[in-house]
PDB file of all heavy atoms in Angstrom:
ATOM      1  N   GLY A 598     126.690 109.700 141.960  1.00  0.00           N
ATOM      2  CA  GLY A 598     127.759 109.346 141.040  1.00  0.00           C
ATOM      3  C   GLY A 598     128.825 110.413 141.101  1.00  0.00           C
ATOM      4  O   GLY A 598     128.844 111.242 142.006  1.00  0.00           O
ATOM      5  N   ILE A 599     129.721 110.384 140.129  1.00  0.00           N
ATOM      6  CA  ILE A 599     130.732 111.426 140.002  1.00  0.00           C
ATOM      7  C   ILE A 599     130.701 111.927 138.568  1.00  0.00           C
ATOM      8  O   ILE A 599     130.250 111.219 137.671  1.00  0.00           O
ATOM      9  CB  ILE A 599     132.146 110.923 140.393  1.00  0.00           C
ATOM     10  CG1 ILE A 599     132.561 109.720 139.545  1.00  0.00           C
ATOM     11  CG2 ILE A 599     132.200 110.581 141.870  1.00  0.00           C
ATOM     12  CD1 ILE A 599     133.963 109.216 139.831  1.00  0.00           C
ATOM     13  N   ASP A 600     131.138 113.157 138.365  1.00  0.00           N
ATOM     14  CA  ASP A 600     131.115 113.756 137.033  1.00  0.00           C
ATOM     15  C   ASP A 600     132.529 114.084 136.573  1.00  0.00           C
ATOM     16  O   ASP A 600     133.336 114.589 137.353  1.00  0.00           O
ATOM     17  CB  ASP A 600     130.298 115.045 137.034  1.00  0.00           C
ATOM     18  CG  ASP A 600     128.816 114.814 137.303  1.00  0.00           C
ATOM     19  OD1 ASP A 600     128.355 113.665 137.184  1.00  0.00           O
ATOM     20  OD2 ASP A 600     128.119 115.794 137.624  1.00  0.00           O
ATOM     21  N   TYR A 601     132.783 113.790 135.302  1.00  0.00           N
ATOM     22  CA  TYR A 601     134.040 114.152 134.651  1.00  0.00           C
ATOM     23  C   TYR A 601     133.716 115.070 133.483  1.00  0.00           C
ATOM     24  O   TYR A 601     133.016 114.673 132.559  1.00  0.00           O
ATOM     25  CB  TYR A 601     134.767 112.919 134.121  1.00  0.00           C
ATOM     26  CG  TYR A 601     135.369 112.054 135.191  1.00  0.00           C
ATOM     27  CD1 TYR A 601     134.786 110.847 135.543  1.00  0.00           C
ATOM     28  CD2 TYR A 601     136.533 112.449 135.851  1.00  0.00           C
ATOM     29  CE1 TYR A 601     135.350 110.047 136.526  1.00  0.00           C
ATOM     30  CE2 TYR A 601     137.091 111.663 136.836  1.00  0.00           C
ATOM     31  CZ  TYR A 601     136.499 110.455 137.164  1.00  0.00           C
ATOM     32  OH  TYR A 601     137.056 109.669 138.142  1.00  0.00           O
ATOM     33  N   ALA A 602     134.197 116.304 133.529  1.00  0.00           N
ATOM     34  CA  ALA A 602     134.031 117.234 132.411  1.00  0.00           C
ATOM     35  C   ALA A 602     135.137 116.975 131.399  1.00  0.00           C
ATOM     36  O   ALA A 602     136.285 116.715 131.767  1.00  0.00           O
ATOM     37  CB  ALA A 602     134.103 118.672 132.899  1.00  0.00           C
ATOM     38  N   ALA A 603     134.763 117.035 130.143  1.00  0.00           N
ATOM     39  CA  ALA A 603     135.708 116.858 129.043  1.00  0.00           C
ATOM     40  C   ALA A 603     135.068 117.444 127.789  1.00  0.00           C
ATOM     41  O   ALA A 603     133.851 117.648 127.753  1.00  0.00           O
ATOM     42  CB  ALA A 603     136.027 115.375 128.836  1.00  0.00           C
ATOM     43  N   PRO A 604     135.870 117.710 126.772  1.00  0.00           N
ATOM     44  CA  PRO A 604     135.289 118.243 125.536  1.00  0.00           C
ATOM     45  C   PRO A 604     134.270 117.281 124.931  1.00  0.00           C
ATOM     46  O   PRO A 604     134.430 116.057 125.004  1.00  0.00           O
ATOM     47  CB  PRO A 604     136.503 118.396 124.612  1.00  0.00           C
ATOM     48  CG  PRO A 604     137.675 118.501 125.527  1.00  0.00           C
ATOM     49  CD  PRO A 604     137.330 117.636 126.703  1.00  0.00           C
ATOM     50  N   GLU A 605     133.230 117.856 124.361  1.00  0.00           N
ATOM     51  CA  GLU A 605     132.205 117.043 123.702  1.00  0.00           C
ATOM     52  C   GLU A 605     132.853 116.146 122.655  1.00  0.00           C
ATOM     53  O   GLU A 605     133.733 116.574 121.914  1.00  0.00           O
ATOM     54  CB  GLU A 605     131.159 117.960 123.058  1.00  0.00           C
ATOM     55  CG  GLU A 605     129.855 117.266 122.827  1.00  0.00           C
ATOM     56  CD  GLU A 605     128.689 118.225 122.710  1.00  0.00           C
ATOM     57  OE1 GLU A 605     128.788 119.384 123.154  1.00  0.00           O
ATOM     58  OE2 GLU A 605     127.671 117.784 122.162  1.00  0.00           O
ATOM     59  N   GLY A 606     132.447 114.887 122.630  1.00  0.00           N
ATOM     60  CA  GLY A 606     132.988 113.924 121.683  1.00  0.00           C
ATOM     61  C   GLY A 606     134.134 113.083 122.229  1.00  0.00           C
ATOM     62  O   GLY A 606     134.544 112.122 121.600  1.00  0.00           O
ATOM     63  N   THR A 607     134.661 113.429 123.426  1.00  0.00           N
ATOM     64  CA  THR A 607     135.730 112.645 124.049  1.00  0.00           C
ATOM     65  C   THR A 607     135.231 111.225 124.311  1.00  0.00           C
ATOM     66  O   THR A 607     134.103 111.027 124.776  1.00  0.00           O
ATOM     67  CB  THR A 607     136.168 113.289 125.387  1.00  0.00           C
ATOM     68  OG1 THR A 607     136.640 114.610 125.117  1.00  0.00           O
ATOM     69  CG2 THR A 607     137.252 112.495 126.074  1.00  0.00           C
ATOM     70  N   ALA A 608     136.058 110.237 124.030  1.00  0.00           N
ATOM     71  CA  ALA A 608     135.670 108.836 124.192  1.00  0.00           C
ATOM     72  C   ALA A 608     135.407 108.472 125.650  1.00  0.00           C
ATOM     73  O   ALA A 608     136.103 108.929 126.556  1.00  0.00           O
ATOM     74  CB  ALA A 608     136.762 107.926 123.638  1.00  0.00           C
ATOM     75  N   ILE A 609     134.388 107.641 125.846  1.00  0.00           N
ATOM     76  CA  ILE A 609     134.052 107.058 127.148  1.00  0.00           C
ATOM     77  C   ILE A 609     134.317 105.565 127.031  1.00  0.00           C
ATOM     78  O   ILE A 609     133.903 104.926 126.066  1.00  0.00           O
ATOM     79  CB  ILE A 609     132.574 107.298 127.509  1.00  0.00           C
ATOM     80  CG1 ILE A 609     132.278 108.799 127.603  1.00  0.00           C
ATOM     81  CG2 ILE A 609     132.204 106.576 128.806  1.00  0.00           C
ATOM     82  CD1 ILE A 609     130.799 109.132 127.686  1.00  0.00           C
ATOM     83  N   TYR A 610     135.001 105.012 128.045  1.00  0.00           N
ATOM     84  CA  TYR A 610     135.398 103.608 128.034  1.00  0.00           C
ATOM     85  C   TYR A 610     134.607 102.811 129.062  1.00  0.00           C
ATOM     86  O   TYR A 610     134.287 103.313 130.137  1.00  0.00           O
ATOM     87  CB  TYR A 610     136.889 103.473 128.354  1.00  0.00           C
ATOM     88  CG  TYR A 610     137.763 104.299 127.457  1.00  0.00           C
ATOM     89  CD1 TYR A 610     138.360 105.469 127.926  1.00  0.00           C
ATOM     90  CD2 TYR A 610     137.988 103.926 126.138  1.00  0.00           C
ATOM     91  CE1 TYR A 610     139.159 106.241 127.100  1.00  0.00           C
ATOM     92  CE2 TYR A 610     138.787 104.708 125.309  1.00  0.00           C
ATOM     93  CZ  TYR A 610     139.368 105.857 125.799  1.00  0.00           C
ATOM     94  OH  TYR A 610     140.149 106.626 124.986  1.00  0.00           O
ATOM     95  N   ALA A 611     134.340 101.547 128.763  1.00  0.00           N
ATOM     96  CA  ALA A 611     133.755 100.637 129.750  1.00  0.00           C
ATOM     97  C   ALA A 611     134.777 100.462 130.867  1.00  0.00           C
ATOM     98  O   ALA A 611     135.943 100.169 130.602  1.00  0.00           O
ATOM     99  CB  ALA A 611     133.434  99.296 129.109  1.00  0.00           C
ATOM    100  N   SER A 612     134.363 100.661 132.099  1.00  0.00           N
ATOM    101  CA  SER A 612     135.312 100.574 133.216  1.00  0.00           C
ATOM    102  C   SER A 612     135.696  99.133 133.527  1.00  0.00           C
ATOM    103  O   SER A 612     136.677  98.902 134.225  1.00  0.00           O
ATOM    104  CB  SER A 612     134.754 101.261 134.458  1.00  0.00           C
ATOM    105  OG  SER A 612     133.603 100.596 134.906  1.00  0.00           O
ATOM    106  N   GLY A 613     134.960  98.195 132.990  1.00  0.00           N
ATOM    107  CA  GLY A 613     135.288  96.784 133.175  1.00  0.00           C
ATOM    108  C   GLY A 613     134.511  95.942 132.187  1.00  0.00           C
ATOM    109  O   GLY A 613     133.562  96.419 131.568  1.00  0.00           O
ATOM    110  N   GLY A 614     134.905  94.701 132.054  1.00  0.00           N
ATOM    111  CA  GLY A 614     134.205  93.795 131.151  1.00  0.00           C
ATOM    112  C   GLY A 614     132.856  93.401 131.718  1.00  0.00           C
ATOM    113  O   GLY A 614     132.661  93.364 132.931  1.00  0.00           O
ATOM    114  N   GLY A 615     131.922  93.104 130.821  1.00  0.00           N
ATOM    115  CA  GLY A 615     130.605  92.668 131.255  1.00  0.00           C
ATOM    116  C   GLY A 615     129.605  92.691 130.128  1.00  0.00           C
ATOM    117  O   GLY A 615     129.974  92.635 128.949  1.00  0.00           O
ATOM    118  N   VAL A 616     128.329  92.789 130.493  1.00  0.00           N
ATOM    119  CA  VAL A 616     127.229  92.761 129.534  1.00  0.00           C
ATOM    120  C   VAL A 616     126.350  93.989 129.765  1.00  0.00           C
ATOM    121  O   VAL A 616     126.035  94.328 130.915  1.00  0.00           O
ATOM    122  CB  VAL A 616     126.388  91.473 129.706  1.00  0.00           C
ATOM    123  CG1 VAL A 616     125.164  91.484 128.813  1.00  0.00           C
ATOM    124  CG2 VAL A 616     127.237  90.241 129.428  1.00  0.00           C
ATOM    125  N   ILE A 617     125.957  94.642 128.683  1.00  0.00           N
ATOM    126  CA  ILE A 617     125.064  95.801 128.787  1.00  0.00           C
ATOM    127  C   ILE A 617     123.685  95.300 129.186  1.00  0.00           C
ATOM    128  O   ILE A 617     123.093  94.484 128.484  1.00  0.00           O
ATOM    129  CB  ILE A 617     125.007  96.581 127.464  1.00  0.00           C
ATOM    130  CG1 ILE A 617     126.378  97.193 127.166  1.00  0.00           C
ATOM    131  CG2 ILE A 617     123.912  97.653 127.517  1.00  0.00           C
ATOM    132  CD1 ILE A 617     126.472  97.916 125.841  1.00  0.00           C
ATOM    133  N   ASP A 618     123.196  95.774 130.343  1.00  0.00           N
ATOM    134  CA  ASP A 618     121.853  95.369 130.751  1.00  0.00           C
ATOM    135  C   ASP A 618     120.837  96.494 130.598  1.00  0.00           C
ATOM    136  O   ASP A 618     119.640  96.248 130.665  1.00  0.00           O
ATOM    137  CB  ASP A 618     121.828  94.746 132.149  1.00  0.00           C
ATOM    138  CG  ASP A 618     122.093  95.703 133.289  1.00  0.00           C
ATOM    139  OD1 ASP A 618     122.583  96.812 133.042  1.00  0.00           O
ATOM    140  OD2 ASP A 618     121.811  95.329 134.434  1.00  0.00           O
ATOM    141  N   LYS A 619     121.305  97.733 130.362  1.00  0.00           N
ATOM    142  CA  LYS A 619     120.407  98.840 130.025  1.00  0.00           C
ATOM    143  C   LYS A 619     121.118  99.767 129.052  1.00  0.00           C
ATOM    144  O   LYS A 619     122.286 100.074 129.223  1.00  0.00           O
ATOM    145  CB  LYS A 619     120.013  99.639 131.272  1.00  0.00           C
ATOM    146  CG  LYS A 619     119.093  98.888 132.198  1.00  0.00           C
ATOM    147  CD  LYS A 619     118.504  99.806 133.239  1.00  0.00           C
ATOM    148  CE  LYS A 619     117.650  98.973 134.155  1.00  0.00           C
ATOM    149  NZ  LYS A 619     116.389  99.541 134.466  1.00  0.00           N
ATOM    150  N   ILE A 620     120.391 100.207 128.045  1.00  0.00           N
ATOM    151  CA  ILE A 620     120.890 101.208 127.106  1.00  0.00           C
ATOM    152  C   ILE A 620     119.649 101.920 126.552  1.00  0.00           C
ATOM    153  O   ILE A 620     118.806 101.315 125.904  1.00  0.00           O
ATOM    154  CB  ILE A 620     121.771 100.591 125.995  1.00  0.00           C
ATOM    155  CG1 ILE A 620     122.318 101.669 125.060  1.00  0.00           C
ATOM    156  CG2 ILE A 620     121.065  99.476 125.258  1.00  0.00           C
ATOM    157  CD1 ILE A 620     123.425 101.190 124.113  1.00  0.00           C
ATOM    158  N   TYR A 621     119.511 103.186 126.908  1.00  0.00           N
ATOM    159  CA  TYR A 621     118.307 103.918 126.514  1.00  0.00           C
ATOM    160  C   TYR A 621     118.530 105.417 126.658  1.00  0.00           C
ATOM    161  O   TYR A 621     119.568 105.864 127.135  1.00  0.00           O
ATOM    162  CB  TYR A 621     117.105 103.470 127.361  1.00  0.00           C
ATOM    163  CG  TYR A 621     117.215 103.785 128.840  1.00  0.00           C
ATOM    164  CD1 TYR A 621     116.643 104.938 129.375  1.00  0.00           C
ATOM    165  CD2 TYR A 621     117.874 102.923 129.708  1.00  0.00           C
ATOM    166  CE1 TYR A 621     116.731 105.229 130.723  1.00  0.00           C
ATOM    167  CE2 TYR A 621     117.965 103.196 131.063  1.00  0.00           C
ATOM    168  CZ  TYR A 621     117.388 104.352 131.564  1.00  0.00           C
ATOM    169  OH  TYR A 621     117.488 104.637 132.904  1.00  0.00           O
ATOM    170  N   VAL A 622     117.518 106.187 126.257  1.00  0.00           N
ATOM    171  CA  VAL A 622     117.539 107.640 126.398  1.00  0.00           C
ATOM    172  C   VAL A 622     116.532 108.016 127.480  1.00  0.00           C
ATOM    173  O   VAL A 622     115.377 107.605 127.428  1.00  0.00           O
ATOM    174  CB  VAL A 622     117.188 108.341 125.067  1.00  0.00           C
ATOM    175  CG1 VAL A 622     117.198 109.846 125.243  1.00  0.00           C
ATOM    176  CG2 VAL A 622     118.148 107.915 123.974  1.00  0.00           C
ATOM    177  N   SER A 623     116.999 108.788 128.461  1.00  0.00           N
ATOM    178  CA  SER A 623     116.191 109.199 129.603  1.00  0.00           C
ATOM    179  C   SER A 623     116.049 110.715 129.612  1.00  0.00           C
ATOM    180  O   SER A 623     116.939 111.430 129.156  1.00  0.00           O
ATOM    181  CB  SER A 623     116.901 108.730 130.881  1.00  0.00           C
ATOM    182  OG  SER A 623     116.525 109.470 132.010  1.00  0.00           O
ATOM    183  N   LYS A 624     114.951 111.208 130.162  1.00  0.00           N
ATOM    184  CA  LYS A 624     114.750 112.655 130.264  1.00  0.00           C
ATOM    185  C   LYS A 624     115.816 113.291 131.154  1.00  0.00           C
ATOM    186  O   LYS A 624     116.361 114.341 130.839  1.00  0.00           O
ATOM    187  CB  LYS A 624     113.361 112.960 130.810  1.00  0.00           C
ATOM    188  CG  LYS A 624     113.060 114.440 130.900  1.00  0.00           C
ATOM    189  CD  LYS A 624     111.658 114.703 131.410  1.00  0.00           C
ATOM    190  CE  LYS A 624     111.432 116.196 131.551  1.00  0.00           C
ATOM    191  NZ  LYS A 624     110.121 116.498 132.116  1.00  0.00           N
ATOM    192  N   SER A 625     116.139 112.654 132.279  1.00  0.00           N
ATOM    193  CA  SER A 625     117.116 113.245 133.198  1.00  0.00           C
ATOM    194  C   SER A 625     118.548 112.816 132.900  1.00  0.00           C
ATOM    195  O   SER A 625     119.456 113.633 132.924  1.00  0.00           O
ATOM    196  CB  SER A 625     116.756 112.906 134.645  1.00  0.00           C
ATOM    197  OG  SER A 625     116.701 111.509 134.818  1.00  0.00           O
ATOM    198  N   TYR A 626     118.776 111.536 132.618  1.00  0.00           N
ATOM    199  CA  TYR A 626     120.125 111.024 132.376  1.00  0.00           C
ATOM    200  C   TYR A 626     120.584 111.180 130.925  1.00  0.00           C
ATOM    201  O   TYR A 626     121.749 110.963 130.625  1.00  0.00           O
ATOM    202  CB  TYR A 626     120.216 109.546 132.740  1.00  0.00           C
ATOM    203  CG  TYR A 626     120.417 109.255 134.207  1.00  0.00           C
ATOM    204  CD1 TYR A 626     119.575 108.376 134.874  1.00  0.00           C
ATOM    205  CD2 TYR A 626     121.473 109.809 134.922  1.00  0.00           C
ATOM    206  CE1 TYR A 626     119.768 108.067 136.211  1.00  0.00           C
ATOM    207  CE2 TYR A 626     121.672 109.518 136.252  1.00  0.00           C
ATOM    208  CZ  TYR A 626     120.819 108.641 136.900  1.00  0.00           C
ATOM    209  OH  TYR A 626     121.021 108.338 138.214  1.00  0.00           O
ATOM    210  N   GLY A 627     119.686 111.500 130.028  1.00  0.00           N
ATOM    211  CA  GLY A 627     120.067 111.559 128.611  1.00  0.00           C
ATOM    212  C   GLY A 627     120.421 110.170 128.122  1.00  0.00           C
ATOM    213  O   GLY A 627     119.801 109.176 128.515  1.00  0.00           O
ATOM    214  N   ASN A 628     121.432 110.076 127.273  1.00  0.00           N
ATOM    215  CA  ASN A 628     121.884 108.779 126.770  1.00  0.00           C
ATOM    216  C   ASN A 628     122.566 108.027 127.906  1.00  0.00           C
ATOM    217  O   ASN A 628     123.526 108.519 128.508  1.00  0.00           O
ATOM    218  CB  ASN A 628     122.848 108.961 125.598  1.00  0.00           C
ATOM    219  CG  ASN A 628     122.146 109.544 124.387  1.00  0.00           C
ATOM    220  OD1 ASN A 628     120.964 109.331 124.169  1.00  0.00           O
ATOM    221  ND2 ASN A 628     122.872 110.312 123.598  1.00  0.00           N
ATOM    222  N   TYR A 629     122.074 106.814 128.199  1.00  0.00           N
ATOM    223  CA  TYR A 629     122.452 106.076 129.408  1.00  0.00           C
ATOM    224  C   TYR A 629     122.788 104.630 129.064  1.00  0.00           C
ATOM    225  O   TYR A 629     122.059 103.979 128.310  1.00  0.00           O
ATOM    226  CB  TYR A 629     121.273 106.107 130.381  1.00  0.00           C
ATOM    227  CG  TYR A 629     121.458 105.331 131.654  1.00  0.00           C
ATOM    228  CD1 TYR A 629     121.979 105.931 132.790  1.00  0.00           C
ATOM    229  CD2 TYR A 629     121.075 103.998 131.741  1.00  0.00           C
ATOM    230  CE1 TYR A 629     122.123 105.228 133.985  1.00  0.00           C
ATOM    231  CE2 TYR A 629     121.220 103.283 132.921  1.00  0.00           C
ATOM    232  CZ  TYR A 629     121.740 103.903 134.038  1.00  0.00           C
ATOM    233  OH  TYR A 629     121.889 103.198 135.210  1.00  0.00           O
ATOM    234  N   ILE A 630     123.886 104.145 129.634  1.00  0.00           N
ATOM    235  CA  ILE A 630     124.284 102.740 129.517  1.00  0.00           C
ATOM    236  C   ILE A 630     124.609 102.222 130.907  1.00  0.00           C
ATOM    237  O   ILE A 630     125.272 102.907 131.693  1.00  0.00           O
ATOM    238  CB  ILE A 630     125.535 102.551 128.626  1.00  0.00           C
ATOM    239  CG1 ILE A 630     125.223 102.855 127.168  1.00  0.00           C
ATOM    240  CG2 ILE A 630     126.101 101.136 128.754  1.00  0.00           C
ATOM    241  CD1 ILE A 630     126.419 102.713 126.237  1.00  0.00           C
ATOM    242  N   ARG A 631     124.139 100.997 131.209  1.00  0.00           N
ATOM    243  CA  ARG A 631     124.563 100.323 132.437  1.00  0.00           C
ATOM    244  C   ARG A 631     125.135  98.963 132.058  1.00  0.00           C
ATOM    245  O   ARG A 631     124.536  98.231 131.272  1.00  0.00           O
ATOM    246  CB  ARG A 631     123.412 100.144 133.421  1.00  0.00           C
ATOM    247  CG  ARG A 631     123.905  99.616 134.770  1.00  0.00           C
ATOM    248  CD  ARG A 631     122.818  99.575 135.805  1.00  0.00           C
ATOM    249  NE  ARG A 631     121.899  98.495 135.460  1.00  0.00           N
ATOM    250  CZ  ARG A 631     120.676  98.373 135.965  1.00  0.00           C
ATOM    251  NH1 ARG A 631     120.209  99.271 136.816  1.00  0.00           N
ATOM    252  NH2 ARG A 631     119.912  97.370 135.612  1.00  0.00           N
ATOM    253  N   ILE A 632     126.316  98.666 132.628  1.00  0.00           N
ATOM    254  CA  ILE A 632     127.016  97.407 132.351  1.00  0.00           C
ATOM    255  C   ILE A 632     127.025  96.561 133.615  1.00  0.00           C
ATOM    256  O   ILE A 632     127.441  97.023 134.678  1.00  0.00           O
ATOM    257  CB  ILE A 632     128.466  97.669 131.899  1.00  0.00           C
ATOM    258  CG1 ILE A 632     128.480  98.503 130.616  1.00  0.00           C
ATOM    259  CG2 ILE A 632     129.220  96.351 131.709  1.00  0.00           C
ATOM    260  CD1 ILE A 632     129.857  99.014 130.215  1.00  0.00           C
ATOM    261  N   LYS A 633     126.561  95.323 133.496  1.00  0.00           N
ATOM    262  CA  LYS A 633     126.630  94.356 134.589  1.00  0.00           C
ATOM    263  C   LYS A 633     127.961  93.635 134.467  1.00  0.00           C
ATOM    264  O   LYS A 633     128.274  93.051 133.444  1.00  0.00           O
ATOM    265  CB  LYS A 633     125.463  93.363 134.482  1.00  0.00           C
ATOM    266  CG  LYS A 633     125.515  92.222 135.467  1.00  0.00           C
ATOM    267  CD  LYS A 633     125.120  92.682 136.842  1.00  0.00           C
ATOM    268  CE  LYS A 633     125.131  91.500 137.799  1.00  0.00           C
ATOM    269  NZ  LYS A 633     125.891  91.720 138.979  1.00  0.00           N
TER     270      LYS A 633
END
């Protein structure tokens, strides 16, 4: 993937329309969302 550094709390936007097919907390990824 690619990483974008920004101040904590900065908004993250859905890069496109779709449906959330995964949303969970992972040991390595932390808070994780995947949009189909």
Side-chain angles (χ1 to χ4, degrees):
I599 58 177
D600 294 343
Y601 288 105
E605 202 158 340
T607 300
I609 299 169
Y610 306 106
S612 64
V616 175
I617 295 176
D618 70 345
K619 290 192 182 225
I620 182 168
Y621 65 95
V622 179
S623 157
K624 182 178 177 183
S625 58
Y626 278 128
N628 293 330
Y629 177 91
I630 291 179
R631 188 174 72 196
I632 299 170
K633 173 76 178 128

